[in-house]
Amino acid sequence: MDFRNEIAEALSASTNIPTQELSSMLETPPNPEMGDYALPCFKLAKSLKKAPPAIAVQLKSESTFPEFVSRVEVAGGYLNFFIDRSVFVREALAPVLEQGEAFGSSNEGQGRAVCIDYSSINIAKPFHIGHLSSTVIGHALYNIFNFLGYKSIGINHLGDWGTQFGKLIVAFRRWGSKEGIEQGGVRAMLEIYAKFHEEAEKDDTLNDEARAAFKAIEDGDIEALALFDWFRALTLKEVQRVYDLLGIKFDSYAGESFYNDKMQPVVDELREKNLLELDDGASVVRFPEEDNMPPCLILRSDGATLYATRDIAAAFYRKQTYDFDKCLYVVAYQQNLHFKQVFRVIELMGYPWAKDLVHVAFGMVSTTDGTLSTRKGNVVFLEDVLKESIEKTRAIMEEKSPDLEGMDEIAREVGVGALVFSTLSASRIKDIVFDWDRALNFEGETGPYCQYTHARCCSLLARAEYDKEAQVEYSLITDPESVEVARLLYEFPATVQSACKKYEPFIITRYVVDLAQAYNRFYLAHRILGEPREVQNARLALTACAKQVIATGLNLIGIAAPTRM
Ligand code: ARG
């Protein structure tokens, strides 16, 4: 039942103001003593030509409100509505009990595809903490869009092109060995790459050699290409371990090199449309004055393409291949200008779908103790960070619940969850400071805390042998703590929609914490087991709903919900 809409309908009948308009005016008061919905009448003062308190009085006496409205109160310029507690609790809980894990989902996105470019790591470079945000935010959005009926397409736009691969080949031929790289992986690649830079300082001919090696890859030289593919495959094998830990899969790994043969048509079209200008031998697209942006470099003077050229070609490819409704780029805000330029170029080419390209930007992650920072020259690999989190979690669990069955798997879910949760615990655009102690605290506003609450619900339901089929007497759970849990459950579908609309998984993270806290307040205030059968059953039903929605919320943001902890 849509309480808001029904109240708006009743008001509309007595005022002739459209329901929609009234519905959007209705507010949720900051505390329950002021009702469940409130109409700020000053917004109507102009059209009804009356003072707000007088409007409130008039509306109250002239409207016939639905039965579920138990009380209507005038408070200054506000008209406050109180909803019958047991009706409200029933309306909030029954859909959760009926729909289970589908509760909150919808088919609003049916038939529409959303491309999500995320993680997008670089070959022969560490998968470092900076990629964590992209990976985690992108994955959450992937789940959220799917949950709302869209078809999500996860794309890992690999950084697998550029002159650095020429350097790497030269370095490998001089100082590398097959076994060394095979065993050492990306770390070993970084080592010989660093060596290259050291040596090239002394001997500039190395740079010429590297250019030639890169040219060889471009020209399809078999040996150079084989090396390049090998570096790529080794890096991907290594990052796969991280994706496995996080439980992430991509639909496409089409990275920068994939577009090698797809850029010419774009360049030709730019030229035909008179958008390409020469600038010191290079080809650029200039923007109108009011855009206030430097030109976008399309071709270097030697004819080489750039990061932006590849992104423009990629956008066309994605549009043709997936016919997306939206194409999201989950990339740090450092690349703001790049995406503004790329999107604008496509717009200038005359494609209206340029407006469907969205840069979902996020801030930086740093740590209180500097362990994740690459600044001190120590490269930090995300895999190590995840493993450390899992180990720390395990240590905590061994102390708290030494007999826990399946500890390894649970420690993994909780350790990874803590890191993911913490990454999603603030609005994405904010820079975040990561703190181990805070992230792993089972009592704070953390992943482990929410997971623990879920596990607590599971164990309670199991102990009580909760009967899903038993009739629920909703009038028995109208105390303030139960109603607060119910209120949150009722808001879950709208919460998911808002997270989707704003590309902001954090909205769900916040919600899950609120729900877990509300449930725990209920749990502390009320006895469940051993109460009269009807009361126990009603409280168990509330528990089952909270459990379900905490799990759904956690899963949406990419976190597992273990049943034991
Ligand atoms: N590989 C890039 C980096 O690590 C991110 C790529 C983002 N996606 C894109 N289509 N440009 O900075």
Side-chain angles (χ1 to χ4, degrees):
M1 186 179 323
D2 190 339
F3 296 114
R4 174 190 296 273
N5 200 56
E6 297 212 11
I7 294 173
E9 253 168 32
L11 289 166
S12 172
S14 59
T15 55
N16 282 327
I17 297 169
T19 308
Q20 269 267 265
E21 206 172 303
L22 287 161
S23 164
S24 65
M25 274 180 211
L26 283 170
E27 295 173 354
T28 311
N31 83 56
E33 275 144 51
M34 294 150 93
D36 299 293
Y37 293 95
L39 183 73
C41 296
F42 53 85
K43 292 194 178 163
L44 298 172
K46 223 172 165 185
S47 55
L48 299 183
K49 298 195 183 68
K50 252 192 193 168
I55 295 177
V57 172
Q58 181 192 345
L59 287 179
K60 181 180 172 177
S61 66
E62 287 178 6
S63 320
T64 321
F65 295 106
E67 232 169 276
F68 63 75
V69 176
S70 59
R71 197 149 51 93
V72 182
E73 263 175 21
V74 174
Y78 282 88
L79 194 56
N80 296 338
F81 302 92
F82 295 79
I83 292 175
D84 180 274
R85 289 284 163 257
S86 47
V87 176
F88 180 72
V89 172
R90 184 191 71 217
E91 286 300 319
L93 268 60
V96 188
L97 295 172
E98 267 159 40
Q99 296 164 37
E101 55 190 40
F103 175 69
S105 69
S106 84
N107 52 14
E108 65 173 64
Q110 198 132 56
R112 284 186 281 166
V114 176
C115 289
I116 308 176
D117 176 325
Y118 71 107
S119 199
S120 300
I121 53 131
N122 302 317
I123 297 302
K125 294 268 177 64
F127 188 150
H128 59 78
I129 196 75
H131 288 115
L132 178 63
S133 301
S134 171
T135 307
V136 162
I137 296 168
H139 182 222
L141 292 175
Y142 185 94
N143 296 338
I144 294 168
F145 273 98
N146 271 344
F147 195 59
L148 295 183
Y150 294 83
K151 167 107 192 67
S152 297
I153 294 138
I155 303 172
N156 199 326
H157 186 79
L158 299 175
D160 59 359
W161 200 248
T163 46
Q164 72 270 27
F165 294 103
K167 297 179 184 171
L168 195 58
I169 287 182
V170 172
F172 175 71
R173 285 184 177 146
R174 293 198 174 220
W175 309 293
S177 73
K178 196 156 178 1
E179 309 74 57
I181 300 285
E182 217 126 66
Q183 270 159 32
V186 172
R187 260 178 232 273
M189 293 180 213
L190 286 173
E191 250 163 54
I192 57 168
Y193 189 66
K195 173 114 175 142
F196 177 92
H197 282 276
E198 250 168 58
E199 298 291 324
E201 295 253 304
K202 294 176 254 167
D203 176 4
D204 193 41
T205 62
L206 280 176
N207 285 315
D208 299 332
E209 236 179 89
R211 265 188 288 277
F214 182 58
K215 181 94 178 33
I217 307 178
E218 280 186 301
D219 294 345
D221 174 83
I222 295 193
E223 207 199 317
L225 258 187
L227 279 176
F228 171 71
D229 286 341
W230 181 56
F231 294 136
R232 194 175 184 274
L234 282 180
T235 310
L236 284 181
K237 198 171 128 204
E238 202 167 312
V239 296
Q240 191 55 47
R241 294 203 298 266
V242 173
Y243 293 138
D244 286 346
L245 277 175
L246 291 166
I248 294 181
K249 284 200 180 71
F250 292 91
D251 300 295
S252 160
Y253 279 90
E256 293 189 41
S257 72
F258 179 77
Y259 298 100
N260 282 343
D261 61 355
K262 298 177 180 61
M263 284 175 287
Q264 194 55 49
V266 175
V267 174
D268 291 343
E269 187 176 337
L270 282 168
R271 201 165 277 135
E272 265 159 41
K273 294 187 167 162
N274 279 326
L275 290 164
L276 224 46
E277 284 179 42
L278 277 178
D279 182 5
D280 226 359
S283 303
V284 305
V285 174
R286 271 184 221 291
F287 299 108
E289 185 105 42
E290 64 271 20
D291 285 353
N292 223 335
M293 278 196 290
C296 180
L297 200 50
I298 302 290
L299 295 174
R300 257 202 277 268
S301 51
D302 63 0
T305 56
L306 291 108
Y307 183 48
T309 326
R310 288 166 196 277
D311 257 327
I312 297 168
F316 280 102
Y317 176 82
R318 290 173 190 175
K319 186 68 192 169
Q320 278 152 20
T321 310
Y322 306 110
D323 190 23
F324 58 72
D325 185 59
K326 285 253 156 28
C327 179
L328 314 182
Y329 298 79
V330 188
V331 186
Y333 63 57
Q334 279 90 340
Q335 296 192 26
N336 273 353
L337 176 61
H338 166 75
F339 286 108
K340 264 168 82 180
Q341 291 179 318
V342 166
F343 299 170
R344 187 73 170 117
V345 167
I346 295 169
E347 194 184 349
L348 291 173
M349 289 170 86
Y351 294 98
W353 51 265
K355 65 168 188 348
D356 303 325
L357 305 168
V358 186
H359 178 201
V360 178
F362 56 81
M364 310 241 285
V365 185
S366 58
T367 50
T368 44
D369 62 358
T371 44
L372 304 182
S373 120
T374 48
R375 220 174 307 144
K376 292 184 201 130
N378 55 325
V379 185
V380 181
F381 285 74
L382 184 54
E383 186 179 8
D384 298 338
V385 178
L386 285 167
K387 282 189 175 150
E388 188 169 347
S389 188
I390 295 170
E391 262 161 45
K392 283 179 195 271
T393 306
R394 215 196 135 94
I396 296 172
M397 285 183 164
E398 255 156 23
E399 207 175 286
K400 285 197 170 213
S401 32
D403 309 322
L404 188 63
E405 221 179 286
M407 171 111 60
D408 283 337
E409 178 61 7
I410 298 172
R412 186 190 68 79
E413 292 177 338
V414 176
V416 171
L419 210 60
V420 171
F421 199 94
S422 150
T423 307
L424 296 176
S425 61
S427 164
R428 62 183 153 77
I429 203 65
K430 286 205 183 124
D431 292 334
I432 55 176
V433 180
F434 179 80
D435 176 344
W436 278 118
D437 292 336
R438 202 175 338 130
L440 294 179
N441 186 342
F442 281 43
E443 261 106 57
E445 296 182 347
T446 62
Y449 170 77
C450 298
Q451 287 171 317
Y452 186 71
T453 308
H454 174 264
R456 164 181 273 174
C457 294
C458 291
S459 105
L460 185 64
L461 292 167
R463 260 186 299 148
E465 291 171 20
Y466 167 60
D467 175 11
K468 277 203 284 209
E469 308 304 324
Q471 183 85 20
V472 181
E473 189 46 73
Y474 293 102
S475 62
L476 296 172
I477 38 176
T478 55
D479 59 275
E481 292 79 18
S482 303
V483 170
E484 181 55 15
V485 173
R487 191 184 62 77
L488 282 160
L489 295 171
Y490 184 76
E491 279 171 12
F492 183 61
T495 304
V496 179
Q497 278 162 23
S498 145
C500 179
K501 212 161 129 200
K502 297 179 179 151
Y503 315 116
E504 191 64 280
F506 150 71
I507 293 176
I508 295 181
T509 317
R510 183 67 248 170
Y511 171 88
V512 176
V513 171
D514 289 342
L515 178 57
Q517 287 177 335
Y519 179 78
N520 284 320
R521 275 192 296 272
F522 157 79
Y523 181 84
L524 284 178
H526 302 280
R527 204 162 76 143
I528 301 175
L529 299 182
E531 287 290 300
R533 208 173 54 89
E534 303 258 274
V535 176
Q536 168 171 317
N537 181 55
R539 290 185 179 159
L540 287 173
L542 186 81
T543 302
C545 291
K547 177 204 93 134
Q548 178 59 61
V549 176
I550 292 173
T552 306
L554 286 174
N555 292 339
L556 281 176
I557 53 177
I559 299 177
T563 54
R564 285 170 294 123
M565 252 174 92

